[in-house]
Amino acid sequence: MGRDVGTLGERTVAAWCSQADMRVNPSDEDKRGWDHLIEFTLKDHESGIASAPPDRDFREVKSFVQIKSTDSQRRNVSIKLSNWRYLTTGTPHPCFILCLEFDGADEPQRAYLIHVGEDLIERVLQRLRELSGEGTQLYESSMSVTYGEEERLENESGSALRAAIVETITGNPIQYKSWKRRYLTEVGYEGAILRVQGHAEVPSDYEGSPEEFIADLSAGLVPSIDLEVDEAQDLRFGEPASLPSFPEQISMAPDHKTEEVKLVLSACGYSYTRERITAELYRPNELLGQVSAGRRKLRLSIPYANLILAEGTQPLRVDVNFPSENVAVPLADLQPLAKLILFSQQMYEEGREFTVEIHNFSGAESALTMGSLSGEDFESEETLEMASQRIRNAWSVWKALDVENQVEVTVSHLLEKWKEYHLLEQAFRGEGVPATFEYGVHEPYEEIYGTPDLTVAIPYPLILETPIPEAILGLVLMGEPEALGEKDGLHHYELTAEETEVVYSETFLKDEETPFDDVMEIRELCAERVDEEENFVHVLAPVDERRPGASDS
């Protein structure tokens, strides 16, 4: 009768545990996948957890070990799937297979510790999924595992066994259990995790056709759809398994991604016009391909507006949501909306056709081009056009001052200062503007210069205050004045500027000290910088006597 090498292995493990200060509890019946429960408390040099009071001490290690003893060197062990299931899913504690090779001796000549870790957990779960639904009893099937020098203990002793277990859990049993629970829920679900088959109906309050509803759903204009579930399947490792318990009705929202794209609007004709706008494109991948040709919709967003592009009717729609009147927002966020509205208004007024292209869509240089659109369909609301024009003027001024991307404004600021922005925008572009100014002088020009027909220059200081920043500018208006007669002891003139020039400009942070004490100093600086041939007029009734930095009243 041959010797019982299995009993020899169990006695060896019991002796090793006694030597290495570990407690061992054998299983009465080997039905759960393990022979021995090995327990010990981590010592300070082993633990990745700081010492704590007894009620907070989590350094206790539990490990389940199945022992395989042999007199051969097969380097391969076979275990029933019923046992594998427990070693993988039955406990969050670490599980091992300890292979002892005796070679006919009374003491093990080699010892190998196989950790039931990521690779084995994945293999076991995939095998279990493959057998689901086949009526196979797990105890009737087995799965083998090979081992080699990587699993070999440093020596044949209890201290080497203990050291290998500590290394496997990196001295932290709490962290190990957390990892194992998480891994068990994630492995095998790299792709889709659920397949639901059912049927859906368009909601009764939806006014369009079923095709239009799917198009709106694909563009995110309809948030979700209710689905009556016929069957639900779990898709672990790509193998479907029916779920016996699942809600009869679920609400489905399409998974979507957003990407930054360049929206290009262009029109040909007697002049070529092009506008470029950066936008965020909303793309629910799985639904877009289900929408029939000619009915697709795309949704793009820019600050304070959504754009809807459609292949059928209403090919371009803009839903505007301006910020509140007194809320400060970056001027750069308002610029794209202004560009879009002013472009469409230009197309409307000129009756021109234009195209819309989306660049950098799905990695292509120009993946989508809308058909030619008629400008006659895109008249902007008068208030939107006015607001957009004022945003554009403000942008041009701050851009000329080289701080356009740092400016924050309120809508009320743009409404109050629109004349100043319009005047400065023209001045920075070197264009004349019909700026009219009335002033008075003590002596008429006829008495001083012998003729009223002379060119004069009048300083026009401007202070533009925003939440961030403010600007002080010296603008000079030049032209030939028209006499209005004497009034209140002064000779009054009206000047309609034929030319404007910005002779001084500077920006400051809010409440930062400026180089001027009052507005007159700005006027005097303007006078110094105007050409000597011009007659500089010191206005007796200043336009603005505020100190720089004072707030509007």
Side-chain angles (χ1 to χ4, degrees):
M1 181 177 179
R3 66 176 185 161
D4 188 353
V5 72
T7 301
L8 191 60
E10 292 180 5
R11 290 174 182 172
T12 298
V13 171
W16 282 4
C17 289
S18 179
Q19 297 165 4
D21 194 20
M22 297 188 293
R23 300 178 302 278
V24 59
N25 295 295
S27 173
D28 293 334
E29 295 184 27
D30 184 11
K31 292 183 178 180
R32 305 195 72 186
W34 56 275
D35 297 306
H36 291 76
L37 169 62
I38 296 178
E39 300 176 285
F40 58 92
T41 303
L42 292 167
K43 299 177 180 178
D44 289 344
H45 71 277
E46 297 174 319
S47 177
I49 305 174
S51 59
D55 63 311
R56 297 288 299 167
D57 194 347
F58 302 115
R59 294 181 296 172
E60 185 70 17
V61 176
K62 290 184 177 182
S63 56
F64 294 91
V65 180
Q66 182 164 118
I67 303 169
K68 293 293 184 181
S69 303
T70 179
D71 276 328
S72 67
Q73 298 182 26
R74 291 179 299 173
R75 304 291 166 87
N76 180 285
V77 293
S78 180
I79 299 175
K80 294 178 181 179
L81 278 176
S82 55
N83 290 349
W84 276 120
R85 182 171 65 176
Y86 184 83
L87 292 173
T88 54
T89 66
T91 174
H93 295 285
C95 296
F96 301 93
I97 302 164
L98 178 62
C99 299
L100 302 176
E101 294 181 353
F102 285 86
D103 292 354
D106 292 335
E107 299 293 335
Q109 304 304 296
R110 289 165 300 278
Y112 302 85
L113 187 68
I114 304 170
H115 175 222
V116 184
E118 286 187 0
D119 292 341
L120 279 175
I121 290 174
E122 182 174 0
R123 280 185 59 194
V124 171
L125 294 182
Q126 186 165 7
R127 181 68 176 136
L128 292 174
R129 174 52 62 96
E130 291 170 355
L131 292 177
S132 64
E134 295 184 5
T136 304
Q137 298 296 326
L138 296 183
Y139 63 82
E140 297 174 351
S141 297
S142 299
M143 190 183 87
S144 62
V145 60
T146 58
Y147 56 90
E149 290 303 309
E150 290 184 359
E151 287 80 22
R152 186 170 180 177
L153 296 184
E154 185 176 349
N155 54 60
E156 294 72 43
S157 68
S159 60
L161 174 61
R162 176 173 177 142
I165 294 174
V166 171
E167 183 180 0
T168 300
I169 67 172
T170 62
N172 193 327
I174 300 298
Q175 189 177 66
Y176 180 93
K177 287 186 285 187
S178 176
W179 162 81
K180 188 172 181 180
R181 289 189 181 100
R182 184 178 67 253
Y183 188 71
L184 285 170
T185 62
E186 295 174 353
V187 64
Y189 289 113
E190 287 74 14
I193 65 174
L194 187 67
R195 176 190 295 159
V196 178
Q197 295 177 330
H199 59 279
E201 295 183 359
V202 175
S204 58
D205 57 351
Y206 183 77
E207 297 180 356
S209 65
E211 292 82 1
E212 290 172 321
F213 182 86
I214 297 300
D216 284 346
L217 185 64
S218 73
L221 302 176
V222 176
S224 63
I225 185 172
D226 290 337
L227 181 69
E228 300 291 337
V229 178
D230 298 329
E231 183 183 11
Q233 296 175 321
D234 179 276
L235 294 178
R236 196 171 212 176
F237 301 107
E239 294 282 345
S242 295
L243 296 173
S245 177
F246 200 80
E248 295 180 356
Q249 179 175 306
I250 60 172
S251 182
M252 293 185 60
D255 184 30
H256 71 276
K257 297 179 180 179
T258 58
E259 62 179 286
E260 190 174 85
V261 297
K262 187 75 71 175
L263 198 64
V264 180
L265 304 105
S266 54
C268 296
Y270 57 85
S271 65
Y272 183 68
T273 305
R274 170 170 283 194
E275 200 65 83
R276 298 176 178 86
I277 299 169
T278 299
E280 283 290 324
L281 175 66
Y282 170 102
R283 283 202 301 126
N285 297 335
E286 73 277 11
L287 272 179
L288 191 60
Q290 305 302 317
V291 181
S292 59
R295 292 185 178 274
R296 295 185 179 184
K297 291 185 180 181
L298 293 175
R299 176 159 66 94
L300 302 101
S301 63
I302 59 176
Y304 311 111
N306 280 321
L307 287 70
I308 312 301
L309 291 172
E311 293 178 332
T313 57
Q314 290 185 311
L316 174 62
R317 192 178 90 221
V318 181
D319 297 332
V320 179
N321 181 26
F322 256 112
S324 300
E325 193 169 291
N326 294 310
V327 174
V329 298
L331 180 61
D333 286 352
L334 295 172
Q335 173 71 348
L337 178 58
K339 290 166 66 175
L340 178 66
I341 292 174
L342 292 175
F343 177 88
S344 62
Q345 185 62 23
Q346 179 185 355
M347 296 299 101
Y348 172 78
E349 292 174 354
E350 298 176 2
R352 300 169 68 182
E353 291 188 344
F354 65 96
T355 60
V356 180
E357 301 172 3
I358 297 178
H359 288 250
N360 299 328
F361 177 57
S362 299
E365 181 179 349
S366 180
L368 180 65
T369 301
M370 303 298 295
S372 184
L373 309 180
S374 173
E376 295 177 356
D377 298 329
F378 297 99
E379 181 181 14
S380 300
E381 295 182 14
E382 185 176 349
T383 53
L384 279 180
E385 181 190 2
M386 179 184 67
S388 300
Q389 187 68 52
R390 293 177 181 181
I391 291 169
R392 192 194 72 170
N393 289 343
W395 176 266
S396 299
V397 170
W398 291 109
K399 186 174 183 179
L401 297 174
D402 200 28
V403 292
E404 70 274 15
N405 289 314
Q406 304 172 30
V407 179
E408 291 185 1
V409 296
T410 62
V411 174
S412 59
H413 168 81
L414 295 174
L415 296 176
E416 293 168 4
K417 298 294 182 181
W418 74 270
K419 291 182 180 179
E420 288 90 335
Y421 278 122
H422 177 61
L423 184 63
L424 286 169
E425 193 261 349
Q426 298 283 54
F428 277 121
R429 291 173 59 181
E431 297 180 1
V433 59
T436 301
F437 189 78
E438 184 179 339
Y439 60 93
V441 295
H442 284 293
E443 299 179 75
Y445 289 130
E446 292 90 338
E447 295 180 9
I448 301 174
Y449 301 107
T451 174
D453 300 327
L454 76 166
T455 300
V456 300
I458 298 178
Y460 190 59
L462 291 171
I463 300 173
L464 296 174
E465 295 179 284
T466 71
I468 303 176
E470 68 176 313
I472 298 176
L473 302 102
L475 183 68
V476 172
L477 313 177
M478 289 167 281
E480 294 184 359
E482 177 184 350
L484 299 178
E486 188 174 352
K487 183 167 56 175
D488 299 328
L490 295 174
H491 299 275
H492 279 250
Y493 291 87
E494 182 179 80
L495 178 73
T496 299
E498 301 163 358
E499 189 179 344
T500 58
E501 182 181 352
V502 178
V503 296
Y504 172 82
S505 65
E506 190 60 80
T507 59
F508 303 90
L509 294 177
K510 200 68 172 155
D511 301 323
E512 188 174 298
E513 186 176 344
T514 71
F516 302 105
D517 291 329
D518 56 37
V519 176
M520 286 306 298
E521 291 189 11
I522 307 176
R523 289 197 177 94
E524 290 171 2
L525 179 65
C526 291
E528 294 173 2
R529 299 193 179 184
V530 172
D531 293 340
E532 293 182 359
E533 291 79 11
E534 310 293 352
N535 294 293
F536 191 87
V537 178
H538 288 277
V539 182
L540 299 181
V543 179
D544 193 344
E545 288 289 5
R546 294 178 303 163
R547 292 173 59 86
S551 60
D552 289 329
S553 58

